[in-house]
Amino acid sequence: MTRLHMLEWQNSRLQSKMESPVERASSRQSRDIAIARNVYDESFFTASKRHGSPLSSKEDSTKKSRYLNAVRRKLSPSSCSWSGFISVLTQLMPIIRWLPKYNFKEDLFPDLNGGVTVAVMHIPQGLAFAMLASLPPVTGLYTAIVPVLLYMIMGTSRHLSVGSFAVICLMVAQVVEREVGHMPATPSPAPGNSSMPSPSPTSGGSALWSPYDSAKLEVAISLSLLVGIIQVIMGVAKLGVVATYLSDPLISGFTTGSAVLVVNSQLKHILGLTVPRITGSFAAVKIFIHMMKNIPSANVGAVITGLLCLFLLIGLKEINVRFKDKLKVPIPAELLVVVVGTAISYGAAINANFGTPIIGEIPKGLPPLSVPSLSKISNIFSDAFVIAVVIFATNISLSTMFAKKRGYSVDPNQELIAYGAGNIGGSFFSCFPICNALARTAVQENLANTQLCSVVVIILVLLVLLFIAPLFFHLPKAILAAVVIANLVGLLKQFRRLRQLWGIHKPDAIVWFFSCFGVILLGVGLGLGVGVICALFIVVFSLSRSKYTILGRVKETELYRDINQWPSAFEVRSVKVVRLESPLFFGNAERFREALIDATGVDPGSQQEAPKLGNDGEKHDLLKNKSGGSYGGIPGVKPIPEDKVRTSRTAAVEVDEPQTCIRAIVIDCSSFTSIDSVGLQTLPSLLSEFKKAGVKIYLAGCSSNLIKRLASPSERSAIQAIPRHAMFPSIHDAVTSAARSRNNPVSSTIT
């Protein structure tokens, strides 16, 4: 700092002591900010590291100690000791941690109340969702016993209610009907492999399942086993992060489309029609057209029963929502409809008098043991993987939401293991794949405090299976279809999200649209694939069309901002500061090169000034420019008024009008959060090309990983190394170095 600068600084300090705090605050913006230091590039930090500077003296020792500690933990004798076993067991079964701390005074009554209410919901939903899965209705009640018990022991969410769920049941039905359609006309008589004996007969002397139902259940339990194995493997491999690749718009569109398919599949029960088995693309459309053509043949009793129950269910659920604060316990809408509907059906004999279909005999007793068939795994593996991922994505999104609301956390990897254990255990007790249901989980979160409410659920469901189940013989299928549709009203309301997403972020709206209608038109599996591909394409396309900005120095600071957003930011003469607003990868590498040519007016390929872009739309898309003006052939740069063209007394770099003769380009690499092999080859290539054209390129704000990969590439990578003296820790260091190189007078320090 010069003697004149020192005197000015002392005078200003003396004057500031005489000013009030308000006067000092108001004048702060007009004062010169003097920050005196040397200009550094990355070679300085490399030299400091090599000579043992305190900047990085502990780096190597820290890395070594970290690795050694990790090895010691793995090889430590305590990992095989009793304490190590208890630690692993506690992690695998979180109930060991929270059950001894259970607060009977605060949690017992809410858990009892919540357990009774959730159990009441399990009964009609289990019967209805099992019918949706194309399985015997009683199997839906089986999913509320062993899987619920295992999740209570191994799950980390306090409020997730697992069991049957409409979307998963629809996916199970598609697999079951497809596989049974490929089987011989006389399938095995019981769930399990051909060597398994038939389950115990009912009191009437007939087999527990019909041969056709036995074949379908055999596929379902094999599917449950495979889904569970996949989920456990994903949990052990710490693949819980996979849920982050299924965005909320994708899941929302997928579940909405699946809800439409479920409603379409239940209309046949509401109408009392028999629909032929239709598979493949546009199957839902073909089924709907078939039903509309056969409406004159609809069963009047089924239509009246189904519509009345549907309106009643929707009305009672709306009352529960509106008077949630006033009702201590929600109205058990589904149970009321099922009980009253069964009584009316029995009293009026609607099956005999009107031909309205009923569910028929429901066997009572504990869930029969079943042995999954390993011979079917090869046929259903792809379906099992999709179902496993959908179950996880659906469950973790809901459990995470309620965990944040209640102030605790869930472990995605442990959740995967818990879901997998529930599906594996359930497969040996005649269960199909389980998932949470939004309605049950919302009620459990509202009433219960812990997963101990699951004990009440299991006890009540067992009582129903042992004593009450046969009483549902006369329950009309139209009522169960109404229960299914009424539980999907919330998912169907998600169609509103399309408009919301279009206003917030149009690419998300596109993902939602393709996910939803892909499922509706192509089916659940292909529809999910369409949604994932669309989401990935949107990400790649957005990054490949990324914008770049021209940065200027904010007056009297070391800060650089977009010249179109900050009127006080000015470009340094003969130096362009460019920032790409995305990572650098194969999709935008060539576009970034074109951006440098467009910003500087220098085309290293032709060794002359680059012509203006002919496509105004392309120019506007490439460069953020609200004013739309240009100066000197440089798009987006306005002429600087003469009263603003001056040099600050203490500024180290002259601020002047931008000129078309660009001698240096500073690339702000702070946005390069990731870079692939194409990007690593592009940067050295740009340095070489522009150097031949008389323009030097400087890199600023590089991360340590990027510096390592650019300055010391491996011999096999075939990437040209960039010298560290061309890389700088900040934009101002790079601009100052670039300004010096043009032989203009500059001070020896950054100020």
Side-chain angles (χ1 to χ4, degrees), residues 660-709:
T660 56
C661 184
I662 301 300
R663 296 304 178 192
I665 301 173
V666 176
I667 300 176
D668 180 11
C669 299
S670 59
S671 61
F672 294 171
T673 54
S674 64
I675 185 169
D676 65 355
S677 60
V678 176
L680 290 172
Q681 293 174 349
T682 298
L683 289 177
S685 176
L686 289 174
L687 264 69
S688 177
E689 289 182 25
F690 278 87
K691 183 178 181 180
K692 294 177 182 178
V695 178
K696 291 184 178 180
I697 291 183
Y698 301 83
L699 306 182
C702 299
S703 65
S704 57
N705 179 53
L706 181 59
I707 294 171
K708 181 179 179 181
R709 297 176 70 183

Side-chain angles (χ1 to χ4, degrees), residues 121 313-327 329-333 438-439 442-443 446 486 489-490 493 496:
M121 297 178 69
L313 284 168
I314 294 175
L316 291 176
K317 286 178 177 290
E318 187 65 24
I319 292 174
N320 284 336
V321 173
R322 291 192 177 186
F323 300 97
K324 178 181 178 181
D325 297 332
K326 297 182 179 180
L327 294 173
V329 178
I331 300 173
L438 177 59
V443 170
N446 185 44
V489 172
K493 288 181 179 179
R496 301 173 184 172

Side-chain angles (χ1 to χ4, degrees), residues 231-450:
Q231 289 175 330
V232 169
I233 292 175
M234 291 175 64
V236 172
K238 308 294 184 184
L239 295 181
V241 70
V242 73
T244 60
Y245 296 101
L246 299 177
S247 64
D248 180 67
L250 190 153
I251 293 297
S252 175
F254 170 79
T255 53
T256 306
S258 300
V260 173
L261 290 186
V262 171
V263 172
N264 189 61
S265 69
Q266 295 305 293
L267 285 178
K268 63 183 180 182
H269 299 297
I270 297 288
L271 298 175
L273 295 174
T274 301
V275 178
R277 181 173 176 269
I278 302 175
T279 58
S281 301
F282 303 99
V285 177
K286 296 175 184 177
I287 291 173
F288 183 78
I289 293 174
H290 176 85
M291 288 188 294
M292 293 301 101
K293 288 181 178 180
N294 291 273
I295 278 185
S297 304
N299 185 283
V300 178
V303 172
I304 295 174
T305 302
L307 292 180
L308 283 177
C309 291
L310 181 60
F311 292 143
L312 183 61
L313 284 168
I314 294 175
L316 291 176
K317 286 178 177 290
E318 187 65 24
I319 292 174
N320 284 336
V321 173
R322 291 192 177 186
F323 300 97
K324 178 181 178 181
D325 297 332
K326 297 182 179 180
L327 294 173
K328 293 183 179 180
V329 178
I331 300 173
E334 289 108 334
L335 187 64
L336 285 177
V337 167
V338 167
V339 172
V340 174
T342 303
I344 294 175
S345 173
Y346 174 76
I350 62 175
N351 176 248
N353 296 331
F354 302 99
T356 303
I358 59 176
I359 62 175
E361 183 181 0
I362 298 180
K364 67 177 181 179
L366 297 175
L369 296 177
S370 56
V371 179
S373 174
L374 300 179
S375 63
K376 304 183 185 302
I377 288 181
S378 60
N379 295 338
I380 61 177
F381 179 82
S382 59
D383 303 286
F385 180 79
V386 173
I387 292 175
V389 174
V390 172
I391 290 173
F392 173 61
T394 304
N395 286 359
I396 200 65
S397 60
L398 201 61
S399 60
T400 302
M401 179 182 70
F402 286 126
K404 289 180 179 179
K405 180 181 176 181
R406 289 295 192 108
Y408 65 94
S409 61
V410 294
D411 182 355
N413 297 310
Q414 180 59 31
E415 285 291 290
L416 271 170
I417 295 174
Y419 306 150
N423 281 310
I424 293 174
S427 68
F428 293 96
F429 291 91
S430 303
C431 296
F432 50 84
I434 53 108
C435 185
N436 88 86
L438 177 59
R440 292 197 309 268
T441 300
V443 170
Q444 183 166 322
E445 186 273 334
N446 185 44
L447 298 178
N449 289 342
T450 71

Side-chain angles (χ1 to χ4, degrees), residues 585-609:
F585 73 116
F586 70 93
N588 61 6
E590 182 60 28
R591 187 176 177 83
F592 181 55
R593 182 181 182 278
E594 295 174 0
L596 294 183
I597 296 173
D598 181 49
T600 61
V602 178
D603 187 355
S606 60
Q607 296 290 319
Q608 61 184 6
E609 290 185 6

Side-chain angles (χ1 to χ4, degrees), residues 87-266:
S87 176
V88 173
L89 193 64
T90 303
Q91 184 177 1
L92 190 62
M93 300 180 179
I95 192 174
I96 299 176
R97 293 197 302 267
W98 60 263
L99 188 58
K101 303 176 183 177
Y102 187 80
N103 191 328
F104 285 89
K105 184 177 180 180
E106 294 183 2
D107 297 335
L108 183 59
F109 179 75
D111 285 345
L112 289 174
N113 185 23
V116 171
T117 307
V118 172
V120 167
M121 297 178 69
H122 261 292
I123 296 167
Q125 288 185 9
L127 296 172
F129 292 157
M131 187 179 72
L132 173 62
S134 191
L135 297 170
V138 72
T139 57
L141 300 181
Y142 297 162
T143 62
I145 301 177
V146 174
V148 172
L149 177 63
L150 289 173
Y151 183 80
M152 180 187 71
I153 296 172
M154 304 182 69
T156 59
S157 173
R158 301 175 190 171
H159 303 99
L160 201 68
S161 175
V162 297
S164 54
F165 178 51
V167 174
I168 300 302
C169 289
L170 176 67
M171 301 174 74
V172 171
Q174 293 179 346
V175 178
V176 164
E177 292 177 356
R178 183 194 68 207
E179 293 300 318
V180 171
H182 296 161
M183 288 182 177
T186 306
S188 59
N193 56 24
S194 57
S195 62
M196 178 183 173
S198 300
S200 302
T202 62
S203 57
S206 58
L208 188 61
W209 319 116
S210 68
Y212 186 64
D213 286 340
S214 296
K216 291 193 292 186
L217 189 57
E218 183 179 0
V219 176
I221 61 177
S222 301
L223 184 65
S224 179
L225 175 66
L226 190 53
V227 167
I229 292 173
I230 292 173
Q231 289 175 330
V232 169
I233 292 175
M234 291 175 64
V236 172
K238 308 294 184 184
L239 295 181
V241 70
V242 73
T244 60
Y245 296 101
L246 299 177
S247 64
D248 180 67
L250 190 153
I251 293 297
S252 175
F254 170 79
T255 53
T256 306
S258 300
V260 173
L261 290 186
V262 171
V263 172
N264 189 61
S265 69
Q266 295 305 293

